[in-house]
Amino acid sequence: MRITYPHMGNLYIVIRALLTSLGLELVLPPPTSNRTVELGVRYAPEFACFPLKLNLGNFLEARELGADTILMAGGVGPCRFGYYAQVQREILEDLGIKMEMVVLEPPDTNWGELKDKIRYLLGDRSWWELVKAIRFAWYKARAVDLVEERVLYLRPRVVQPLELENKYREILHRIDEAPDKRELDRIVKNFFNFSQRLPRKSGSFLRAGLVGEIFTVLEPFANYDLERRLGLLGVEVTRSIFLSGWINEHLFRGLLRVKGTKHAKKLAAPYLNSFVGGHGRETVGSTVDFARQDYDGVIQVAPFTCMPEIVAHSVLPAVTKDYGIPTLTFYLDEQSGEAGIQTRLEAFVDLMAARRERMRKENR
Amino acid sequence: MVTLGIPRALLFYYYYPLWRAFFTNLGVQVIVSPVTNKKILDSGLHTALDEACLPVKLFFGHVLALADRVDYLFVPRLISVEHKAYICPKFMGLPDMLRARLPHLPPIIDLPVDFHRPGPTLDDFFEAVGSIFTQDRLLIRKAFQSAHETHQQFQKLLESGLLPPEAISVFEDEEVTHRRGQDNFLKIGLLGHAYNLYDPFISMDLIGKLRKMDASVITADSLPPDLIEQRVKRLPKRLFWTLGKKMLGAALNFFENKQLDGIIYLTSFGCGPESFVGELVERWAKRRGVLPLMLLTIDEHTGEAGLVTRLEAFLEMIKRRKKNENHLSTYG
């Protein structure tokens, strides 16, 4: 069994930790690239969401490297993600590609289904080993998130952005290789010490919240490296979703004390009074949350044709009206042009800056 | 008399007789928006989000056509109309989308319909809706009962071969102009969402055009619901969209229907669930190679001439195929 799984930002580090500590053999797809897009777009349905296309590209590239089993998450609706694996399986079958698909999702009829799938992956390893592996993967997720949060804070502030990016990449690599929690703690501490010594610009910086569908928020390739673009334009970005928060809510049922989206969900009413699948409700709630914390603007990202985010986007003008917070939405797919995104970002940053200046004068 | 507006859009084609019977029995005057026209569509396009799908934009137009004429608008929040299945995320947020973008609407009745998990029933829903208009519990119950009976009659009419707009006109005491012809030369299985298929403006009268071209149509709505359920049970994973299930089940039935000559699948541009369901239908049709299939994607920019040309070509192809039974490629 040579397992592969789709890329989503730095998730690969977390899943790698999980699977290798169970002694499973992995074939990681090459980092998502233009070729991945090309492959995915060629075989996926035209109006499928961007993540499905990228996933499919990942699988096809991993297949070339010898993967024979796909590990996927699933769901039971109404967001299309819950049916990804089924559609992807049909596409692969028509391409004559035989790959086993293990889809981990909330069981439809009984928990035995899920248990069987995990058992299949575990082979003759014990459940205790699984628990230990999950714990280790969790530490990695936390380490990645702490570093990312710090990078988001630092990007607009550092004098030498390139130095920061290089260090960031190096740290991710070291987290990926770290054999135990002690080493992880050391790496994170080391990075924080390093970040203290970085020469910084002075002044105040614009703050933008990033909301939207989880894949397009977390995968820089899908969002055209939006966080870094904003950082270079002098904007500190706060993400509404982090990997560890998501894992805590979906895997640990919110038992751990990590900032999640529960709070945001509550803030969505009265603008959005129902769940709408995906992260639609969280998108609206997080926008309210950022508005209340006096952020300068909110950016929403979503795959083109994403249903929950279209609902969220539809109601955002009402939030803007009540709180005066500007919002900008990007629908992303293989057709999105880099230049267009950069131009719209620059215009939005100008807008945020002008608004802040205006408010400063009014408050004087 | 209190007036209530029901937009002639989205699930109107499935539930209008039920809704109308309930409200008129309560003594509420029901007003339906006119049949879609260019003005209605345009007002929808101007107010809804660009990225929304055509049916949702059209719904905005129908709401606007009613807004000044009624005391209430009926836009129930349709989360789930059956156990373990949803319609589409956009239906769940529809009342919120309307309120955020059309601030001067009359009060919207947006009570949720959510049968995803066992719990609240249709009875509870109508009791809550009814109590907006009257405190008379008995009256509400009677109205609900009669609405329920009307719905069953409606279902029977559908199974007898009437298409939803035809069955609806039976309840409106209008003359039913067309019954399904049995002896047309071609028989076409027609797939697509009711709100696209049966809206003559949006579908550019696809059904009428097919009939004029000597083809009779059968849609998912003419098939008994049990049969559809039976078919979709064979899927490797349960499909969690009510309407998608209907399409897949109907398609699987059509594949095995020896009398059909072809399938046309009408979808709207950017429809989320359809991007998956249509894909599966297309792949299965190709693998089976039994019935020719044509996918028609429409949006507000679709031209009638293009549609007619494609229809003619498709029908011409299956006519030839019918003449030289089994000698032609089934790939359309």
Side-chain angles (χ1 to χ4, degrees), chain A residues 50-290:
Chain A
F50 201 28
L52 181 137
K53 297 175 183 176
L54 294 181
N55 282 184
L56 187 65
N58 286 153
F59 299 155
L60 291 170
E61 285 185 295
R63 170 73 185 178
E64 291 169 356
L65 301 177
D68 58 21
T69 303
I70 294 167
L71 183 64
M72 272 285 287
V76 288
C79 158
R80 279 177 286 181
F81 180 64
Y83 229 68
Y84 269 29
Q86 316 306 313
V87 172
Q88 287 162 344
R89 180 186 289 140
E90 299 283 326
I91 296 170
L92 292 175
E93 192 185 323
D94 278 349
L95 287 173
I97 292 173
K98 285 203 170 51
M99 287 176 92
E100 186 73 30
M101 247 191 199
V102 183
V103 187
L104 299 180
E105 58 192 341
D108 198 28
T109 45
N110 59 62
W111 287 94
E113 271 174 53
L114 184 61
K115 203 175 137 195
D116 289 347
K117 285 178 198 165
I118 297 173
R119 194 72 263 176
Y120 174 78
L121 290 175
L122 279 180
D124 49 15
R125 285 165 209 93
S126 70
W127 291 98
W128 174 238
E129 276 174 283
L130 176 66
V131 171
K132 279 197 297 188
I134 289 178
R135 201 168 57 188
F136 183 50
W138 165 256
Y139 292 140
K140 290 222 169 175
R142 278 304 288 160
V144 168
D145 284 352
L146 287 170
V147 169
E148 286 195 335
E149 236 171 331
R150 189 78 185 149
V151 168
L152 288 171
Y153 173 83
L154 287 169
R155 269 189 182 130
R157 291 177 167 82
V158 294
V159 178
Q160 301 279 359
L162 201 63
E163 197 183 355
L164 176 67
E165 297 302 330
N166 287 340
K167 187 73 179 178
Y168 171 46
R169 235 169 306 158
E170 181 204 318
I171 290 292
L172 285 180
H173 185 69
R174 287 177 58 196
I175 291 176
D176 194 17
E177 306 236 293
D180 51 41
K181 182 171 186 294
R182 186 182 301 170
E183 178 66 12
L184 281 171
D185 292 343
R186 229 169 48 83
I187 294 168
V188 173
K189 203 169 156 206
N190 179 295
F191 176 71
F192 274 70
N193 288 339
F194 162 85
S195 74
Q196 298 292 351
R197 295 194 302 270
L198 277 177
R200 292 197 203 170
K201 300 173 191 164
S202 59
S204 70
F205 297 88
L206 292 171
R207 290 191 308 162
L210 180 61
V211 301
E213 180 276 333
I214 183 168
F215 185 92
T216 41
V217 168
L218 293 182
E219 174 57 58
F221 192 88
N223 64 35
Y224 292 74
D225 227 351
L226 201 114
E227 290 176 345
R228 201 155 61 87
R229 283 173 199 275
L230 281 165
L232 291 175
L233 291 171
V235 181
E236 180 191 335
V237 179
T238 307
R239 249 188 238 163
S240 61
I241 308 168
F242 279 91
L243 262 183
S244 55
W246 186 84
I247 295 171
N248 182 29
E249 259 159 53
H250 289 83
L251 214 60
F252 305 153
R253 311 224 142 197
L255 286 174
L256 299 167
R257 283 196 9 216
V258 176
K259 188 183 178 306
T261 50
K262 237 186 208 154
H263 175 58
K265 265 188 212 167
K266 280 188 200 136
L267 293 176
Y271 306 102
L272 186 54
N273 297 294
S274 164
F275 84 105
V276 290
H279 289 87
R281 187 156 53 169
E282 288 85 337
T283 292
V284 178
S286 302
T287 304
V288 173
D289 199 11
F290 286 129

Side-chain angles (χ1 to χ4, degrees), chain B residues 80-301:
Chain B
S80 168
V81 295
E82 61 175 334
H83 188 45
K84 282 188 170 184
Y86 304 96
I87 298 179
C88 162
K90 289 176 199 162
F91 286 72
M92 302 171 163
L94 194 57
D96 302 311
M97 290 199 271
L98 289 170
R99 277 197 202 98
R101 306 189 81 84
L102 305 172
H104 303 297
L105 292 178
I108 297 177
I109 297 178
D110 70 339
L111 290 157
V113 173
D114 186 2
F115 306 144
H116 186 256
R117 286 186 191 84
T121 62
L122 200 59
D123 217 345
D124 301 330
F125 169 75
F126 277 108
E127 188 156 322
V129 173
S131 61
I132 295 173
F133 299 98
T134 173
Q135 293 312 307
D136 186 345
R137 284 284 167 93
L138 195 67
L139 182 65
I140 297 174
R141 183 147 305 168
K142 272 189 188 154
F144 174 64
Q145 259 163 21
S146 114
H148 188 66
E149 280 158 26
T150 306
H151 190 63
Q152 283 180 329
Q153 284 166 14
F154 177 64
Q155 290 294 335
K156 278 203 190 102
L157 288 174
L158 293 182
E159 279 173 44
S160 80
L162 287 190
L163 296 179
E166 295 153 5
I168 286 172
S169 50
V170 170
F171 293 97
E172 299 277 79
D173 306 320
E174 287 164 11
E175 199 184 334
V176 179
T177 48
H178 187 95
R179 287 185 176 268
R180 187 173 60 173
Q182 295 298 330
D183 42 6
N184 292 46
F185 182 60
L186 295 176
K187 289 194 171 45
I188 300 293
L190 196 53
L191 295 171
H193 288 322
Y195 41 79
N196 292 326
L197 284 184
Y198 306 127
D199 187 314
F201 187 84
I202 290 306
S203 70
M204 286 172 263
D205 196 22
L206 176 63
I207 294 173
K209 283 194 170 74
L210 282 167
R211 284 171 174 167
K212 274 196 203 107
M213 293 176 185
D214 206 16
S216 60
V217 295
I218 175 168
T219 70
D221 303 302
S222 325
L223 302 174
D226 300 349
L227 195 63
I228 288 183
E229 280 296 327
Q230 232 176 48
R231 287 281 192 274
V232 292
K233 278 219 175 81
R234 293 184 205 159
L235 296 179
K237 178 180 174 176
R238 189 179 54 79
L239 192 61
F240 44 70
W241 296 304
T242 296
L243 302 181
K245 240 170 39 177
K246 204 164 175 162
M247 295 310 127
L248 274 190
L252 291 170
N253 272 298
F254 288 167
F255 292 151
E256 285 165 32
N257 184 333
K258 296 278 182 293
Q259 282 165 357
L260 277 186
D261 299 303
I263 303 178
I264 295 177
Y265 199 147
L266 184 76
T267 71
S268 37
F269 178 88
C271 172
E274 217 72 295
S275 69
F276 280 27
V277 174
E279 173 82 5
L280 294 177
V281 170
E282 207 178 352
R283 286 186 182 274
W284 295 345
K286 273 188 190 171
R287 268 185 226 161
R288 285 181 170 82
V290 207
L291 274 180
L293 167 78
M294 177 166 72
L295 281 175
L296 284 174
T297 307
I298 48 163
D299 69 3
E300 57 268 35
H301 310 296

